[in-house]
Amino acid sequence: MSIQLNNPSLLQTQAFIDGQWCDADSGKTFAVVNPATGETIAQVADAGQAETLRAIEAAKAAMPAWKAEPAKVRAAILEKWHDLVMANQADLAKLMTLEQGKTLAESTGEVAYGASFIKWFAEESKRIYGDVLQGTPDRRGIVIKQPVGIVGAITPWNFPNAMITRKAAPALAVGCAMVLKPAAETPLSALALAELAKQAGLPAGLFNVVVGTDAPAIGGELTSNPDVKKVTFTGSTPVGKLLMKQCADTVKRTSMELGGNAPVIVFDDADLDAAVQGALVSKYRNSGQTCICSNRLIVQEGIYDAFVEKFTQAVNNFNFGNGLEDGSTHGPVITEKAMNDIHAKVESAVAQGATVVAGGKPKGGNGYFYEPTILTNVDSSMRVFREEIFGPVAPIFKFKTEQEAIEMANDTEFGLAAYFYSENLSRIWRVAESIDYGMVGVNETAISSEIIPFGGVKESGQGREGSKYGLDDYLEVKYICIGGINK
Ligand code: ADP
């Protein structure tokens, strides 16, 4: 299949190192597959450790001049990058839908969301301030902030654009250079971003993209190379833990945005329609494949039956199909393996007594489609309670008291996002303060944007992306003591 774009320069299939497009040293390529059809849509250079090392060396050579530029010079290039991303929004969205599966509407939205981080950090980087400390008779203390150094970034396939810009924009804005390893499932979106960065005038070596299937080889170089000062990762908790261990030998800074197990708690005093709508959006966005997707719907007994009924009606109107086609409300899941993993969790719940109210199996046919699924008669011993489902499956749990809901919400090693619906202001404060999550949506599940600090607690990670706090992840604090001032 050939990919038709308005701007053909966006279809890149080689690694991007030191401002050049290059094949893998081995000459090997790997297939990028459209999850809606199972078809191969491109062959991409299968780069590995040696190419990663070259990218790090290019970053090392490029960073000093970039770091020395005034913030507004760096910001101007990032602003141009943002404008080019938006000017090519339709092509970038098409590429994303082809390799990731999400609907064109979702891809179009993600491109704008991704671009918003570039603009935000271009603006925010001009506002990095230090401190002057209280003096002693002959000394003064000053605190300045400096770029952390070369950043290794590893990103997942579920947001092939925004998970990259959310890391690259703050890193580049403060004067760092980056070597990025995008997910092998979705390299085309990453490479298109690199092409646009090049067109925006970003100097060679500052943003390198190493595409390849040997993640341990690429990740191994990024985490062990002493010239890399920081690793930022979005992905699963097991891989995040592994990368943190690998980073320990050279004491690198890390930012980790890992798995979630988000509850949506619906209290009896909730606005039912708002709760149903919020839960639907949060559960089925990207066909359930976001780390802040609600994983567990936890509904109070007085409103439970009404909630299940309305939620089911809405789910029965979904149309899971090829994201490029009009009328598709949701796309496939990313791979056949992902589809089988989701099904295994559903089957295990059913074996333990869960009732399937909707869906419950793969759709069949070409592509990796899983039916939008609702489970009732579920409990906290089941995998669908304990594990991240990462698919269009909504288990709906029942609770009696507020305390029980808080305990259920906190009964997980994860702590990324949580949501709850209530119209009672006292309860809103109590519950928001009692649940152990980095982000809490109250009567709202669409909580993410470039202006908010995105990140988790517990085994969901560390560090924050977006907002003014997102810059700190790429800055070191340096204390300077000036002595002898009375000489
Ligand atoms: P998912 O299950 O969503 O694919 P992963 O954590 O496996 O989540 O993948 C997220 C990113 O981490 C991808 O870019 C993947 O290639 C990369 N990755 C997976 N394993 C490793 C590893 N051992 N070292 C470095 N990167 C890895």
Side-chain angles (χ1 to χ4, degrees), residues 103-377:
T103 63
L104 212 43
E106 283 186 282
S107 295
T108 305
E110 183 186 332
V111 174
Y113 175 56
S116 75
F117 289 103
I118 305 178
K119 190 166 184 59
W120 171 266
F121 284 112
E123 293 164 345
E124 203 65 11
S125 65
K126 295 180 236 169
R127 302 186 193 101
I128 298 169
Y129 302 105
D131 293 301
V132 180
L133 308 178
Q134 300 252 340
T136 56
D138 67 339
R139 328 170 153 181
R140 298 291 182 271
I142 301 166
V143 174
I144 64 167
K145 295 191 180 170
Q146 293 183 303
V148 66
I150 296 170
V151 177
I154 301 177
T155 53
W157 47 261
N158 62 342
F159 287 92
N161 174 304
M163 295 304 100
I164 294 171
T165 56
R166 185 151 95 166
K167 298 177 188 311
L172 294 169
V174 303
C176 297
M178 176 168 275
V179 178
L180 164 73
K181 189 208 94 61
E185 291 84 354
T186 56
L188 302 178
S189 295
L191 296 171
L193 277 172
E195 170 63 25
L196 292 174
K198 185 180 181 185
Q199 289 178 18
L202 187 73
L206 293 171
F207 182 58
N208 306 278
V209 183
V210 181
V211 278
T213 51
D214 193 348
I218 301 170
E221 186 62 40
L222 289 176
T223 50
S224 65
N225 190 309
D227 287 329
V228 176
K229 302 300 181 201
K230 160 149 197 148
V231 168
T232 173
F233 172 72
T234 298
S236 63
T237 295
V239 174
K241 288 179 182 175
L242 178 74
L243 296 174
M244 286 175 84
K245 284 181 193 149
Q246 291 176 191
C247 284
D249 279 342
T250 46
V251 194
K252 292 191 202 317
R253 283 182 56 185
T254 57
S255 291
M256 294 282 148
E257 206 270 87
L258 308 177
N261 185 357
V264 179
I265 308 169
V266 183
F267 289 98
D268 282 346
D269 58 27
D271 174 335
L272 179 61
D273 289 331
V276 168
Q277 190 53 32
L280 278 171
V281 171
S282 160
K283 175 66 252 181
Y284 293 103
R285 180 161 182 233
N286 200 9
S287 297
Q289 304 171 107
T290 89
C291 48
I292 61 167
C293 270
S294 58
N295 208 49
R296 300 170 292 160
L297 310 188
I298 301 178
V299 183
Q300 202 160 11
E301 58 184 358
I303 206 172
Y304 186 90
D305 290 342
F307 181 92
V308 171
E309 192 188 328
K310 285 203 165 191
F311 192 82
T312 308
Q313 272 171 10
V315 167
N316 286 336
N317 287 329
F318 285 164
N319 180 21
F320 277 54
N322 188 324
L324 287 182
E325 285 166 15
D326 283 345
S328 296
T329 58
H330 297 77
V333 296
I334 189 73
T335 56
E336 187 168 10
K337 178 181 180 308
M339 187 174 75
N340 293 337
D341 287 350
I342 294 162
H343 191 49
K345 287 175 192 147
V346 170
E347 282 190 314
S348 142
V350 170
Q352 283 183 263
T355 304
V356 176
V357 177
K361 58 182 190 313
K363 261 180 95 171
N366 295 334
Y368 316 127
F369 289 94
Y370 198 83
E371 293 177 349
T373 297
I374 300 171
L375 302 174
T376 56
N377 289 317

Side-chain angles (χ1 to χ4, degrees), residues 16-92:
F16 187 67
I17 298 171
D18 203 12
Q20 305 292 324
W21 296 106
C22 34
D23 287 330
D25 292 358
S26 65
K28 286 191 186 146
T29 60
F30 64 96
V32 182
V33 172
N34 180 347
T37 61
E39 282 174 349
T40 294
I41 53 168
Q43 288 287 339
V44 169
D46 198 354
Q49 183 268 336
E51 295 87 338
T52 309
L53 181 57
R54 276 209 299 285
I56 294 168
E57 282 162 2
K60 193 175 175 184
M63 198 184 134
W66 180 245
K67 176 181 165 180
E69 294 283 12
K72 68 178 178 184
V73 171
R74 293 193 297 267
I77 291 177
L78 291 178
E79 292 271 7
K80 184 90 202 292
W81 191 22
H82 163 271
D83 294 348
L84 286 172
V85 169
M86 290 310 293
N88 289 279
Q89 185 176 19
D91 276 346
L92 293 171

Side-chain angles (χ1 to χ4, degrees), residues 464-479:
R464 293 293 180 269
E465 297 192 307
S467 80
K468 65 175 180 176
Y469 306 100
L471 279 181
D472 293 337
D473 278 30
Y474 297 92
L475 291 169
E476 289 286 11
V477 168
K478 181 183 280 178
Y479 158 59

